[in-house]
Amino acid sequence: MAKADQQADRVDGEITFDHVIPAKECYGLTLAPGQRLRIIDIEGQQVMDTVWLSAADPADHLSVMWTNFLNKSWKITKGHTLYSIRCNPLADIVEDTVGINSSTGSYCSEAANRVRFDVPHTRNCYDNLANALAGFGIEKRQIPEASQFCAFLNITYDEDGTHEVLPPTSKAGDHIDFEARADVLVGLSCCPQELNACNNFKAKPMRVMVYEKG
Amino acid sequence: MAKSVEAASRVDGKVIQEYVIPAKEYYGLRMARGQTLRIIEIEGQQVMDNVFINADNHTEQLSVIWSKSINGTWKLTKGHMLYSTQCKPMVEIVEDTVGMNYGGGSYCTQWSNHFRYGDPYPRNCHDNLTNALAQFGVDREQVTESSEFCNFMNVGYDPDGTCEIRVPISEPGDYIDFKAHMDLLVGMSCCPQEKNPCNNFKAKPLKFVLFE
Ligand SMILES: [Zn+2]
Ligand SMILES: [Zn+2]
């Protein structure tokens, strides 16, 4: 674990931003082409919902569906590229010490928590992501379900059709690194879900770093 | 009984509308709660891209993503309810003689044709679905990727991670029935894609029957 922590701290380049997003909270930032975003799981078994939009034209947002098709994989990890709805490259995944992410799309929401768990008034990723990007003039309708990629979220696509949320396999110090291919806006929600296995029933903080490769 | 378009066209109820959508074309309709939309294979191996939108609130649309999560399966077929972005019951699949559909979302676009095949000009489902729903005042941006359910489309999600489009297994006379659980606007695109196995490289017509 100590070893993993050290590795997560060490980046190949100059760190320009280093921030811990508290449990259930959110953050929004921009990346220029070549800049890298590292998301670090601090305690383990926590997922981060991320939304990606072209800064030049936010209507050209991430499409997890095209990301799956153009990479010919539903297990999006290191070596794959996140593509936009217009099939433009937004970011490459250049490191991923877990290898389990969800490119199914969507985020937990007030409506979903009410229907699935009969619990109203929950913190949720949809509100978080909207708040994270509000400072950039982005409206809620501009972050559709398909624009969301969830780091470390463990969703099965079993041969028998089973599709379920399992606890994440990420451990303390695990991380995933994205390198921007365009000027992008990134919304981050440290998923507040505690009603299913998504974060193993407890919301925890995550750390984010922006760096430029040396 | 042998499968045939004639047999599939005999519905248990009163027919409201019956129409053959020509190859590469589209159709938009309003569907009242309780009505059922049957989509019938004429030649086989042809997929239909469908968008479902709440007729009274266009911001509430089908969510294929929540449909999979709430049903606990990515193989959506007979017996499954399709849910909206508000997680409300929207359309129920009450019959499905194929059992192979795609609930991953998205549709072919000018951009995807350009990216994948270097050709932005072929007919595509995105334009078709937008045109099908324009008459109801639905904007292009409301025809979101996750509001699209593609019946008979064969997409592999293999254990090794492979995600690829394969040839449909549907035959002439196969059909799927969608029963509306709210008043709906439906956009249908008889997918014009001929550059991949989606329609086995040839766009063909499909028939629909709306009944109650
Ligand atoms: Zn969440
Ligand atoms: Zn198509």
Side-chain angles (χ1 to χ4, degrees):
Chain A
M1 196 165 106
K3 185 173 158 246
D5 272 332
Q6 281 169 15
Q7 283 176 346
D9 267 346
R10 201 181 309 137
V11 302
D12 177 18
E14 189 200 342
I15 296 169
T16 56
F17 178 77
D18 190 350
H19 176 66
V20 172
I21 304 179
K24 306 192 182 188
E25 297 297 332
C26 59
Y27 203 84
L29 51 81
T30 59
L31 296 174
Q35 281 191 316
R36 291 184 169 193
L37 170 69
R38 171 171 293 184
I39 296 171
I40 305 169
D41 199 345
I42 298 174
E43 298 179 27
Q45 299 199 306
Q46 172 65 37
V47 311
M48 182 82 90
D49 283 47
T50 71
V51 162
W52 299 72
L53 307 101
S54 158
D57 181 1
D60 195 21
H61 57 71
L62 173 66
S63 164
V64 286
M65 290 95 181
W66 283 114
T67 296
N68 291 340
F69 278 132
L70 300 181
N71 289 289
K72 297 186 175 64
S73 177
W74 60 273
K75 293 184 177 178
I76 298 300
T77 181
K78 181 178 178 175
H80 291 136
T81 298
L82 302 185
Y83 288 95
S84 75
I85 191 165
R86 296 180 195 160
C87 301
N88 293 315
L90 294 176
D92 294 329
I93 301 178
V94 292
E95 187 51 85
D96 181 0
T97 64
V98 181
I100 293 180
N101 305 293
S102 171
S103 52
T104 295
S106 207
Y107 24 63
C108 58
S109 65
E110 165 72 23
N113 286 336
R114 211 169 339 101
V115 170
R116 292 198 296 175
F117 312 114
D118 203 18
V119 180
H121 313 305
T122 44
R123 288 294 296 264
N124 62 77
C125 284
Y126 190 27
D127 289 344
N128 268 356
L129 292 164
N131 293 340
L133 292 166
F136 300 99
I138 300 300
E139 294 170 40
K140 213 164 183 170
R141 63 178 175 81
Q142 292 175 290
I143 48 167
E145 295 180 327
S147 67
Q148 197 281 119
F149 176 80
C150 196
F152 310 145
L153 178 59
N154 188 359
I155 295 191
T156 57
Y157 280 86
D158 293 347
E159 281 294 88
D160 69 357
T162 303
H163 183 69
E164 64 179 346
V165 177
L166 301 177
T169 63
S170 51
K171 297 181 177 63
D174 271 325
H175 57 95
I176 183 168
D177 292 20
F178 302 88
E179 183 172 311
R181 296 273 301 270
D183 284 302
V184 286
L185 304 177
V186 188
L188 302 165
S189 169
C190 200
C191 178
Q193 185 61 266
E194 297 191 315
L195 298 169
N196 69 16
C198 160
N199 303 307
N200 203 13
F201 301 94
K202 182 170 178 282
K204 300 170 282 296
M206 294 190 105
R207 183 174 173 186
V208 292
M209 287 178 181
V210 176
Y211 67 100
E212 300 201 36
K213 196 172 183 304
Chain B
M1 196 178 71
K3 274 188 272 193
S4 71
V5 179
E6 291 69 34
S9 301
R10 258 175 259 130
V11 296
D12 181 19
K14 184 182 134 216
V15 174
I16 298 159
Q17 191 180 7
E18 203 169 350
Y19 183 67
V20 172
I21 305 180
K24 306 192 183 189
E25 295 297 332
Y26 57 86
Y27 204 87
L29 53 81
R30 188 181 269 276
M31 187 178 174
R33 186 175 173 200
Q35 291 178 342
T36 301
L37 176 69
R38 174 169 296 183
I39 294 170
I40 305 170
E41 275 283 9
I42 298 175
E43 299 179 31
Q45 300 195 311
Q46 173 65 37
V47 311
M48 184 86 94
D49 284 51
N50 307 281
V51 163
F52 296 99
I53 293 179
N54 179 342
D56 301 318
N57 172 12
H58 297 178
T59 64
E60 182 176 16
Q61 305 154 341
L62 173 68
S63 166
V64 288
I65 301 163
W66 285 116
S67 296
K68 287 184 294 184
S69 293
I70 295 172
N71 285 291
T73 181
W74 57 277
K75 295 185 177 177
L76 296 169
T77 180
K78 181 177 177 174
H80 293 133
M81 179 70 75
L82 304 185
Y83 292 87
S84 73
T85 45
Q86 303 283 317
C87 296
K88 291 185 192 139
M90 206 171 206
V91 213
E92 187 182 349
I93 304 177
V94 291
E95 189 52 82
D96 180 1
T97 64
V98 181
M100 169 93 64
N101 304 296
Y102 171 63
S106 206
Y107 28 63
C108 56
T109 66
Q110 67 173 104
W111 304 301
S112 68
N113 284 327
H114 186 246
F115 183 96
R116 295 195 288 186
Y117 313 115
D119 182 358
Y121 300 116
R123 293 289 296 266
N124 62 74
C125 284
H126 188 204
D127 290 345
N128 271 355
L129 292 164
T130 302
N131 294 342
L133 291 163
Q135 60 184 306
F136 303 111
V138 174
D139 293 334
R140 193 176 178 97
E141 69 169 19
Q142 290 176 312
V143 184
T144 62
E145 294 182 293
S146 55
S147 67
E148 191 277 318
F149 180 81
C150 194
N151 58 265
F152 309 145
M153 187 172 177
N154 183 359
V155 176
Y157 283 85
D158 296 348
D160 70 356
T162 302
C163 176
E164 67 177 6
I165 298 169
R166 293 169 182 157
V167 174
I169 60 168
S170 48
E171 298 168 344
D174 272 323
Y175 61 93
I176 184 167
D177 288 355
F178 299 100
K179 184 173 181 186
H181 279 248
M182 60 171 76
D183 291 342
L184 293 171
L185 303 177
V186 186
M188 290 176 271
S189 169
C190 201
C191 177
Q193 186 59 261
E194 297 194 312
K195 294 186 182 266
N196 68 32
C198 172
N199 304 306
N200 202 9
F201 300 94
K202 182 170 179 279
K204 302 170 279 298
L206 285 167
K207 180 175 180 177
F208 75 79
V209 181
L210 181 65
F211 64 101
E212 61 188 352

